[in-house]
Amino acid sequence: MLRSIALVLLVAPILPAAELFSWHSFDIAERLTKKIDIQVTTRVRTRDEFQLLNQFLGGPMLTYRVNSRLLYFGGYWAQPGHEANKPWLMGHRTFAGVDRRWALKDYTLIGRLTYERHYGAGRQDHNRYRTYTRLMFPRRTVVPFLQYEYMVIRQGFFSSRQTGGLRFHVNPHVMLDVSYQYDVRRASWGGNRNAIITSVSFRRSER
C-alpha cells in the first residue's frame, strides 16, 4: 500500500488540471472535558504553482464525542483571500457536522457529513454540503490513507476530491500528513486543480 501511495504522489504533476495549489495547515487540540475537545486550525493556501499566496484560514472547532465511534463538531473559520492583482477580502465560514468511524480488521473507515455557510470574500453568500470517506490502513508509525470527498451547492455539483497520502506519527502527540489531491471542480468556480497538502496536528496529553 505504501508503494501505491508513493506512486500517486510521484505522478501528481502529470495529471491534467488547470493549475497546482497547495494547502499547509497546523492544528492544536485541547481536551476541555471528558467528551468535549477544542481544536484551533490555521492554514495557508497557495496557487499558480506556489507563486501566489492565495488564502489564510484560521479559527476554532468544538467536538463532542458520543463514544469512540461517533462525534459531532461545529466551528467558525475566518478566511481572508485574494486573486492575482486583486485586493485581499475577508471571508467567513461556519460549519457543523457528524463524524462516524468503523474499526474493521485490517483498516479503519471514517465517514463525515458537513454543512457549511460561506459569506464574504467577494462571492455571493452560499451553503455548501460535503461528505467524505477516508480509509486508513494500520501501520505503526506510518499510516497510508485514501480519501474521497463530494461537495454540492444549491446549483448542484460543486467538486469531487480524490486524495492519497501518508500519516506519520512523529510522537504520541504529533502527527504529520502529506498527501496529493486531484480536485474535479465546477468550471464556474475555477475548474479542475491539483493540490499538494501537508498538515501538522498537535494533541495535548489527556487529563
Side-chain angles (χ1 to χ4, degrees), residues 7 69 151 164 187 189:
L7 181 62
R69 300 178 304 277
M151 289 179 274
W189 287 73

Side-chain angles (χ1 to χ4, degrees), residues 40 78 106 119 129 131 157 164 168 178 193 203 207:
V40 178
D106 296 323
Y119 49 101
Y129 308 90
T131 177
F157 170 80
F168 299 87
V178 180
R193 58 188 180 182
R203 300 290 183 265
R207 295 177 292 180

Side-chain angles (χ1 to χ4, degrees), residues 75-121:
Y76 162 79
W77 288 339
Q79 44 190 43
H82 81 125
E83 306 299 336
N85 302 315
K86 293 184 179 180
W88 285 83
L89 298 172
M90 176 57 78
H92 306 272
R93 181 192 311 190
T94 56
F95 57 92
V98 59
D99 192 295
R100 176 71 162 87
R101 292 171 177 260
W102 292 267
L104 304 175
K105 182 179 179 180
D106 296 323
Y107 57 87
T108 299
L109 184 64
I110 306 169
R112 173 173 289 190
L113 295 171
T114 309
Y115 159 78
E116 299 176 339
R117 177 66 177 173
H118 293 256
Y119 49 101

Side-chain angles (χ1 to χ4, degrees), residues 112-156:
R112 173 173 289 190
L113 295 171
T114 309
Y115 159 78
E116 299 176 339
R117 177 66 177 173
H118 293 256
Y119 49 101
R123 289 189 179 273
Q124 184 177 1
D125 298 354
H126 63 281
N127 297 333
R128 189 167 70 179
Y129 308 90
R130 61 197 301 170
T131 177
Y132 85 54
T133 302
R134 173 176 283 204
L135 197 60
M136 304 287 291
F137 297 87
R139 294 268 176 171
R140 291 181 180 176
T141 57
V142 181
V143 181
F145 65 87
L146 297 172
Q147 180 175 303
Y148 177 77
E149 185 172 18
Y150 190 85
M151 289 179 274
V152 298
I153 54 177
R154 183 175 59 85
Q155 294 83 0

Side-chain angles (χ1 to χ4, degrees), residues 185-203:
R185 194 166 53 146
R186 195 180 184 94
S188 59
W189 287 73
N192 299 351
R193 58 188 180 182
N194 295 282
I196 303 299
I197 302 171
T198 64
S199 175
V200 177
S201 300
F202 178 73
R203 300 290 183 265

Side-chain angles (χ1 to χ4, degrees), residues 162-176:
Q162 293 69 227
T163 305
L166 299 172
R167 169 166 290 179
F168 299 87
H169 291 272
V170 180
N171 62 49
H173 308 300
V174 180
M175 294 181 298
L176 168 65

